[in-house]
Amino acid sequence: KTLGPEHPYVATWLSNFGSLLRDEGRLREAAPLFQRAIGIGQKTLGPEHPYVATWLSNFGSLLRDEGRLREAAPLFQRAIGIGQKTLGPEH
């Protein structure tokens, strides 16, 4: 049985590949991978899932690297909020 293009594992793999591309400086190629991972995660796991927080943070890091700090900040804030809500403030 195949997982399909909307499986959370696929989102993880997309985000991991996006991180590799970001590390190589290939930011324009990485951005859509992070966006797709976030979309899959929100759809399949829900918008408050810790994995979604990780993928939001990964995309925020890319935006930060591009100097797009005003766009990155809300992603980091949302990721922190999800983490505090789902894992607790001391996690």
Side-chain angles (χ1 to χ4, degrees), residues 47-70:
E48 301 292 316
H49 195 280
Y51 287 176
V52 173
T54 298
W55 302 327
L56 288 165
S57 183
N58 289 345
F59 187 39
S61 293
L62 177 138
L63 295 174
R64 181 200 61 219
D65 292 350
E66 288 185 323
R68 296 164 60 186
L69 305 181
R70 290 180 190 222

Side-chain angles (χ1 to χ4, degrees), residues 1 5 23 26 28-29 33 42 51 65 67 70 76 79:
K1 182 178 178 181
D23 292 346
R26 297 164 61 186
R28 287 189 177 173
E29 293 174 70
L33 299 178
Q42 290 180 136
Y51 287 176
D65 292 350
R70 290 180 190 222
F76 288 127

Side-chain angles (χ1 to χ4, degrees), residues 2-34:
T2 62
L3 299 177
E6 298 290 312
H7 194 280
Y9 284 175
V10 173
T12 298
W13 300 328
L14 288 166
S15 184
N16 289 345
F17 187 43
S19 293
L20 179 130
L21 293 175
R22 184 190 71 222
D23 292 346
E24 290 182 340
R26 297 164 61 186
L27 305 180
R28 287 189 177 173
E29 293 174 70
L33 299 178
F34 289 125

